[in-house]
Amino acid sequence: MNQLLKKAYILVFTLPTLFGYGQVNPGGLGGADTDRNPIIVAVPFINFAPDSRASAMGDVGVATNPDVNSVHWNNGKFAFVDDDLGLSFSHSPWLGNIVDDMSLNYLSFYTKIDQTQTFGASFRYFDLGDIQLVDEVNGQPVPLGIENPSELALDATYSRKLSEKMGIGVTARFIWSNLAGELNNAPDAKAGTSVAVDLGWYYRKPVVFSGRDAEISFGAHISNVGQKITYSAESNENFIPANLRVGTAFKTALDQFNSLTVAFDVNKLLVPTSPIYQTDDNGDVVTDSSTGRRIIASGRDPNRSLFSGTFGSFGDAPRGFSEELQEFIYSVGLEYWYKDVFAARAGYFLEHENKGNRKYLTLGAGFRYRIFGLDFSYLIPQEQNHPLADTLRISLLFSLNKRLEQE
């Protein structure tokens, strides 16, 4: 039974990353017979794009103009939100081409403390759907019941303007992941918990472009820097998806009623890269006779401290600098607004084939009427029968400007 649980954990850790990979090298990820070496993390759901606006723009958001969902993309933007209060709920059926009962749900809220400070909070719930568990007895499958694993994250954010052009933010996050459900057959399994922090920086400056009002902005955001998570013994700790996101955006007025934004983001996971392990003539991994641990042929031991794993992730790829460059993820997005009422969006997301091979086009639209808003996005992968195909996100928004209500 423990082996079944172990396989379930590996599936949940790797499924969001290993799209299109039919098999994994038996020598472990990063084995000598393949160049494919995606980075493996626990609780990957906290890095999934939660809202429809940014996901419609190819998952860009670190430098776009702020909104109620800025806590995920760059908490440094929160201090620049226009309205005094905002609330948003987003829902997305997840991996609909594989299962029909997984979903990602996201609730985000903010309130301005004053003209320079903003407080925000968010709640993310990932429902992994019903899973039929089985064991094998005398070569025959034996049903063990149905479980409904789930994960959640709860955030609190403080953002402050340093000037009229620059802002910073900090977020504290609690993460809970219950992959084993209520299994009585696995006494060594437990729900995993972790805490993490995000730090964000945002800068925007009004400019004039071709005689029209415009704005250029820059952003940087480090997210999910926190303790490793375990589902059993402390020795089986796994890194959570710490991530560095930097980018820029340019918004210009086309005329009195129309505007266009172009945005670009670069992401890199701050997590150790799997090494290449030494194998024998049969292709089996060689272990140290005294410790029982696998012998590393190239790269660094991934079982490192939080500090070493996070900051060492820029130089630990077993195939050197060329592989480090493969770990950068690129996103580009466009957003068109008409009278600040209707929006049309498009974007593209690109990940190297050796690091997950996620490549997809995104489309979406938005609508605003007084204090209410509605956004949706649609994902179109490059390859057929992709697990992410037909991913649809819907976001409902509410905003309130107290000063306007009082006038």
Side-chain angles (χ1 to χ4, degrees):
M1 182 60 198
N2 292 341
Q3 289 298 318
L4 289 177
L5 279 174
K6 183 177 180 181
K7 292 178 181 178
Y9 296 158
I10 293 175
L11 176 62
V12 173
F13 294 158
T14 60
L15 185 58
T17 303
L18 301 180
F19 297 128
Y21 290 94
Q23 63 184 30
V24 176
N25 170 28
L29 293 172
D33 63 343
T34 178
D35 288 332
R36 293 174 175 175
N37 192 14
I39 297 175
I40 305 304
V41 295
V43 292
F45 79 103
I46 57 177
N47 259 9
F48 297 164
D51 68 291
S52 302
R53 179 198 176 202
S55 60
M57 299 171 66
D59 294 0
V60 301
V62 72
T64 51
N65 61 300
D67 61 15
V68 63
N69 295 302
S70 292
V71 61
H72 176 82
W73 304 100
N74 183 358
N75 50 27
K77 300 193 298 183
F78 250 161
F80 291 88
V81 288
D82 293 326
D83 296 317
D84 294 320
L85 181 147
L87 178 69
S88 174
F89 173 73
S90 300
H91 172 77
S92 175
W94 197 251
L95 300 182
N97 276 5
I98 300 177
V99 294
D100 59 5
D101 58 355
M102 291 178 66
S103 64
L104 177 67
N105 301 279
Y106 186 69
L107 180 66
S108 184
F109 163 83
Y110 77 83
T111 180
K112 296 186 75 169
I113 302 172
D114 53 35
Q115 293 304 302
T116 62
Q117 303 175 92
T118 301
F119 171 79
S122 67
F123 176 76
R124 186 186 317 236
Y125 180 75
F126 188 43
D127 186 348
L128 280 77
D130 292 335
I131 298 178
Q132 174 67 62
L133 299 173
V134 296
D135 203 349
E136 187 174 306
V137 178
N138 298 325
Q140 298 297 322
V142 178
L144 297 175
I146 296 177
E147 293 295 340
N148 182 211
S150 59
E151 301 175 300
L152 62 84
L154 181 64
D155 306 341
T157 295
Y158 172 77
S159 182
R160 182 183 182 90
K161 288 183 181 179
L162 298 181
S163 69
E164 288 303 312
K165 299 178 182 179
M166 186 184 304
I168 58 173
V170 59
T171 298
R173 175 170 298 113
F174 171 75
I175 304 164
W176 180 85
S177 175
N178 185 16
L179 301 182
E182 302 296 331
L183 284 175
N184 296 321
N185 305 65
D188 59 336
K190 65 177 184 179
T193 60
S194 179
V195 291
V197 297
D198 298 355
L199 299 173
W201 170 85
Y202 178 67
Y203 175 86
R204 67 180 187 182
K205 179 181 179 181
V207 296
V208 176
F209 178 74
S210 297
R212 302 183 179 94
D213 291 336
E215 181 179 270
I216 187 169
S217 55
F218 303 90
H221 193 235
I222 299 178
S223 59
N224 305 317
V225 178
Q227 68 182 55
K228 293 188 282 186
I229 195 170
T230 178
Y231 296 91
S232 56
E234 295 298 325
S235 59
N236 295 324
E237 293 180 324
N238 302 274
F239 279 91
I240 65 175
N243 183 76
L244 171 64
R245 176 182 289 112
V246 296
T248 185
F250 179 76
K251 180 180 180 179
T252 181
L254 302 178
D255 55 34
Q256 183 180 356
F257 302 112
N258 301 274
S259 67
L260 180 67
T261 299
V262 181
F264 177 70
D265 281 10
V266 180
N267 285 265
K268 186 186 187 305
L269 283 172
L270 305 180
V271 178
T273 304
S274 297
I276 297 175
Y277 293 103
Q278 184 176 328
T279 56
D280 58 23
D281 294 338
N282 296 322
D284 297 323
V285 175
V286 177
T287 59
D288 188 297
S289 58
S290 59
T291 64
R293 301 182 65 178
R294 293 176 290 181
I295 298 177
I296 296 175
S298 179
R300 296 181 61 186
D301 188 345
N303 298 315
R304 309 201 298 271
S305 67
L306 172 64
F307 182 86
S308 176
T310 300
F311 294 98
S313 62
F314 289 96
D316 63 353
R319 295 176 179 85
F321 183 69
S322 61
E323 185 176 353
E324 289 290 346
L325 293 179
Q326 296 175 5
E327 295 181 355
F328 288 92
I329 300 172
Y330 305 95
S331 300
V332 62
L334 299 173
E335 181 179 53
Y336 162 80
W337 276 100
Y338 174 71
K339 287 189 174 182
D340 292 329
V341 173
F342 172 78
R345 305 179 180 108
Y348 188 74
F349 181 97
L350 176 63
E351 181 179 55
H352 196 277
E353 61 182 6
N354 292 335
K355 295 297 177 177
N357 200 32
R358 289 175 293 173
K359 301 174 182 178
Y360 49 79
L361 174 71
T362 59
L363 299 172
F367 177 77
R368 301 290 185 270
Y369 180 72
R370 294 186 178 179
I371 63 174
F372 298 102
L374 174 66
D375 291 330
F376 75 90
S377 66
Y378 186 74
L379 188 151
I380 308 172
Q382 279 193 212
E383 62 182 73
Q384 295 182 349
N385 301 318
H386 194 280
L388 281 177
D390 301 323
T391 295
L392 178 69
R393 291 181 178 90
I394 300 175
S395 297
L396 301 175
L397 304 96
F398 168 85
S399 61
L400 178 66
N401 192 321
K402 298 177 183 178
R403 295 184 300 276
L404 294 180
E405 291 293 317
Q406 294 172 354
E407 293 179 356

